[in-house]
Amino acid sequence: MRYAAGPGRNHAPRRRAIWTAVLALLAGLFSTAQLAGADRASALPPPPQPAMNCDKPWVIINAYGTAESVKPGLPYGSIGVNDTYVRAVNAALNEQGVPDSDITARNLPYPASAIDWDLPWPPFLGDNPGPDDYWDSMWKGRDELVREIEFYSDCPSRPTLVLIGYSQGGQVVKNALANPAVAGDQRRSDSVGAAITIGDAARHNGQTSMAQSGNMLTLDANYRPVTTTIDRGGLMQRVSVPSVFAGLFGDGRYFDVCRVDDLVCNKPGRPGTGNWLAEFGLSIDDGTTNPPHLAYRDNARPNGNPRIVWQNEQGKRVAGEIAERAVAAAVAQRNIVHPPPEPEVPPGTTPVEMWATDVNVRTAPTTDAGITHRFPGPTTVYAQCQKHAESVTDGGVTNDVWSYLPVQHGWISNVYLRGPAWIPGVPECAGSTPPPEQGLYHCDIGGDPESWCARVTGIDPGSFLGMYNEPNYDHGRSSSYRGHNGDELIVHCWTTGAVDADGTGNRYWFFADTGGALPGGYVNDHYLTTGKFADWSQVIPPC
């Protein structure tokens, strides 16, 4: 919610004088009758943006706050809080291996207004808070978001939704999720991977399990976690997060952040009573350029003020942490709606039961070698071959046999595998570990036996694989390297870039080299036997 002029203007005395008049006007407009009920008409026509469709597996739906609009450089709300969080969620999805091509972000088309005002608005008062009164606007937003959730949940592809709401937009998100059409319908609720509300005008501080788990985060003015009290909460409403989204002690998919000095989400006393208009005004205009209700963003104009530079850094940090947790919850929820396929038995391997907990897989058959994977508990592993090496003793049992696991790209001591010391049906490793048909493996072509390597693949006869200066085909080749099917390359790090030259949609690129004198360069993943992202991303760092 906001009625003040744009951030970055340092005219506090003048603005406070204007606000005295504006709040007096608003106090008359927001009568008790208006607060008690509202016409729940349909939302306003959407701003120019693509119509909803089922094309992308991930959809971010963004509800900005009161009197906000879309502006150049701020496509998700003119204050900048929503823009901060949309970018953070997109980055967290990228970290989970979701490319930008699989993500769409859209603004919820709703009035985002505060007063019933159809006349021209004086520019010196800032953004126009019309055309609908607050409750009309909020209910229209709620109904529109319910409609959009229904649309996406009816898609045959079942996209996963991440909802973001700030201020009035947070209240819209909360009320939409609490609507029986969503909370009471499993197909609808299952489509919501996660929700994030910031400065929610409907915050309810009574859900202690969410506060204890950090899913409902309260911060002080220095962005440190603090506690608040149940008698405080949303300025306009107090609505609980439905249990289907709240979860229990940290397993929920609803995330909320509020500053303790932001009276929009942490007002004392009952909502919508007393001097609530003045409390709202103080939260958005305290005489600074980044008052409490706005200080969740990472893009306030510093105007040479180091405090605001620091606030931007903290806003970015908090948004990143919340987005990381929300996306992790959304990925887990997507795996419920779209169960991952049962793992295939890698060719040339034998399934074996691993019985122990916290077992390390290592780059070589010795406890001194680096760790490529850690199994938290018993599971099935796939052994390619086995050999005698360093003895390992655990639970009073000693075994000097190790098995190579191509899925985890490393070695496990047979002391942790069920069966005799030498596992029947698993061949002995002959010489160096044979490279798998798909997946990274260790090679020493550069002199380091722990280098991760892959082979060139998918090159047509008469053609060759080149290395490039950037992860695209527009900035030239980095060397005279010409790779052919079966050639080995050392892969060092990964990033995303242009789609592969064959147009399959693969945007992953590796920085690789031959281990020799030629300089390295970027190679598209489509032309390497690296295997699956879920496997190689565990051992290859981002560039």
Side-chain angles (χ1 to χ4, degrees):
M1 300 186 316
R2 186 178 77 139
Y3 305 98
R9 301 176 188 177
N10 201 9
H11 303 295
R14 173 174 170 269
R15 288 195 301 175
R16 282 195 293 271
I18 292 172
W19 265 99
T20 302
V22 172
L23 292 177
L25 169 66
L26 294 177
L29 292 171
F30 279 91
S31 64
T32 302
Q34 284 175 307
L35 292 173
D39 176 17
R40 291 162 173 75
S42 60
L44 292 180
Q49 61 181 346
M52 290 186 290
N53 60 63
C54 305
D55 294 347
K56 302 292 182 71
W58 289 89
V59 180
I60 301 170
I61 302 179
N62 172 64
Y64 46 63
T66 305
E68 289 195 69
S69 58
V70 173
K71 293 184 176 180
L74 293 170
Y76 302 109
S78 48
I79 285 178
V81 173
N82 294 74
D83 194 74
T84 297
Y85 276 79
V86 170
R87 283 186 281 106
V89 167
N90 200 99
L93 285 169
N94 291 161
E95 286 295 316
Q96 289 279 354
V98 181
D100 288 340
S101 58
D102 284 349
I103 307 168
T104 188
R106 56 183 288 108
N107 292 318
L108 183 74
Y110 85 111
S113 61
I115 62 175
D116 188 2
W117 186 272
D118 293 326
L119 300 175
W121 183 257
F124 72 91
L125 290 181
D127 292 333
N128 187 341
D132 295 306
D133 74 60
Y134 185 92
W135 287 101
D136 275 343
S137 171
M138 198 282 294
W139 293 127
K140 287 178 180 180
R142 179 205 65 176
D143 293 346
E144 176 62 20
L145 182 53
V146 169
R147 187 181 77 85
E148 296 206 358
I149 293 171
E150 290 174 339
F151 173 87
Y152 286 111
S153 66
D154 286 338
C155 288
S157 57
R158 302 289 302 275
T160 301
L161 308 180
V162 179
L163 312 180
I164 299 174
Y166 164 61
S167 195
Q168 182 183 159
Q171 189 176 1
V172 164
V173 168
K174 177 82 69 64
N175 278 273
L177 294 183
N179 191 293
V182 177
D185 187 304
Q186 184 173 351
R187 186 177 178 91
R188 310 309 190 203
S189 61
D190 277 354
S191 295
V192 179
I196 301 172
T197 51
I198 312 102
D200 173 22
R203 193 184 212 229
H204 176 51
N205 288 337
Q207 293 181 271
T208 54
S209 65
M210 288 187 68
Q212 290 169 354
S213 66
N215 284 22
M216 182 172 284
L217 180 64
T218 305
L219 302 172
D220 65 13
N222 290 315
Y223 298 86
R224 295 173 301 201
V226 293
T227 58
T228 185
T229 54
I230 194 172
D231 62 311
R232 301 176 73 100
L235 181 73
M236 303 301 293
Q237 203 182 17
R238 309 279 163 88
V239 178
S240 296
V241 179
S243 60
V244 66
F245 302 109
L248 183 65
F249 295 106
D251 64 349
R253 43 200 162 108
Y254 191 105
F255 301 83
D256 174 272
V257 60
C258 171
R259 280 177 50 129
V260 74
D261 54 350
D262 180 0
L263 300 180
V264 173
C265 54
N266 200 44
K267 164 190 161 56
R270 295 173 57 197
T273 59
N275 60 343
W276 70 271
L277 280 172
E279 291 169 332
F280 169 60
L282 188 62
S283 286
I284 65 170
D285 191 354
D286 64 350
T288 72
T289 55
N290 206 32
H293 191 52
L294 279 61
Y296 305 100
R297 57 191 172 177
D298 66 1
N299 48 18
R301 295 179 223 165
N303 292 336
N305 186 335
R307 172 74 178 176
I308 296 179
V309 172
W310 178 81
Q311 286 178 322
N312 284 343
E313 293 171 350
Q314 297 305 306
K316 182 175 183 177
R317 174 186 62 80
V318 172
E321 292 172 356
I322 292 174
E324 220 173 82
R325 295 188 63 195
V327 165
V331 169
Q333 176 63 21
R334 181 172 177 81
N335 287 338
I336 294 173
V337 177
H338 300 276
E342 289 294 320
E344 299 177 4
V345 177
T349 64
T350 301
V352 187
E353 292 303 309
M354 195 282 295
W355 59 267
T357 59
D358 296 321
V359 176
N360 295 324
V361 180
R362 298 186 179 273
T363 59
T366 169
T367 55
D368 294 329
I371 297 171
T372 67
H373 185 78
R374 177 175 285 114
F375 291 114
T379 187
T380 299
V381 299
Y382 298 93
Q384 180 175 330
C385 60
Q386 57 189 333
K387 65 187 293 185
H388 293 282
E390 178 186 347
S391 293
V392 176
T393 300
D394 198 326
V397 177
T398 299
N399 194 337
D400 72 344
V401 181
W402 291 66
S403 291
Y404 184 76
L405 310 181
V407 174
Q408 287 74 34
H409 312 295
W411 298 83
I412 186 172
S413 170
N414 281 18
V415 77
Y416 301 112
L417 304 181
R418 293 196 184 280
W422 187 269
I423 301 170
V426 177
E428 184 175 3
C429 299
S432 60
T433 305
E437 293 183 13
Q438 284 289 328
L440 296 176
Y441 59 94
H442 288 295
C443 74
D444 61 358
I445 59 174
D448 181 359
E450 294 194 6
S451 295
W452 289 111
C453 300
R455 294 187 183 275
V456 176
T457 186
I459 305 301
D460 294 334
S463 186
F464 63 87
L465 178 68
M467 294 181 179
Y468 293 85
N469 291 312
E470 300 290 340
N472 55 59
Y473 300 102
D474 302 328
H475 291 82
R477 292 170 53 202
S478 63
S479 71
S480 59
Y481 171 77
R482 295 189 170 209
H484 299 90
N485 293 333
D487 291 350
E488 283 187 315
L489 289 177
I490 301 172
V491 294
H492 298 278
C493 62
W494 70 273
T495 186
T496 55
V499 173
D500 61 277
D502 287 336
T504 67
N506 194 328
R507 292 184 177 272
Y508 294 119
W509 289 71
F510 291 93
F511 189 86
D513 63 41
T514 63
L518 288 177
Y522 288 96
V523 177
N524 188 278
D525 174 52
H526 178 64
Y527 304 105
L528 296 176
T529 59
T530 47
K532 299 178 180 178
F533 173 88
D535 295 331
W536 57 251
S537 62
Q538 297 181 39
V539 293
I540 303 298
C543 295

